[in-house]
Amino acid sequence: MLVLSRQRDESIIIGDNVVITVVDVRGDKVKLGIDAPKEISVHRREVYEAIQRENRQAAMLNPNDARLLDTNGESVDLQ
């Protein structure tokens, strides 16, 4: 892991097109601004991990089970 020190309004560049800027520092919180192309997803780690969990669960869904859901994702009683 590369560790860099930056102060407010200073940036780092990842690749040719991602710029991360320290916007504000207050106590133990740091606000970052991220400038990246639209085709690059940017998520907080906890959001990314939740997306990955949901994707893994969806991949395990049997295609026949999908017909048991209505358009709102609610279970349908077929009896």
Side-chain angles (χ1 to χ4, degrees):
M1 174 189 301
L2 173 65
V3 178
L4 301 171
S5 296
R6 298 279 74 201
Q7 295 180 1
R8 190 165 37 104
D9 296 326
E10 293 183 337
S11 301
I12 62 170
I13 299 174
I14 299 174
D16 292 329
N17 53 7
V18 177
V19 179
I20 300 175
T21 303
V22 177
V23 175
D24 194 19
V25 179
R26 291 187 186 185
D28 64 347
K29 292 199 177 200
V30 177
K31 287 187 181 182
L32 300 174
I34 302 169
D35 185 14
K38 289 184 180 188
E39 62 270 10
I40 296 178
S41 298
V42 177
H43 300 287
R44 295 187 327 256
R45 173 175 258 164
E46 63 273 16
V47 171
Y48 176 80
E49 289 171 352
I51 291 168
Q52 294 301 309
R53 270 193 311 277
E54 291 292 325
N55 286 344
R56 282 192 298 273
Q57 289 176 349
M60 294 181 345
L61 182 67
N62 182 332
N64 291 328
D65 294 341
R67 68 181 180 82
L68 301 176
L69 300 175
D70 68 13
T71 57
N72 295 322
E74 299 293 327
S75 295
V76 175
D77 185 9
L78 295 177
Q79 296 177 352

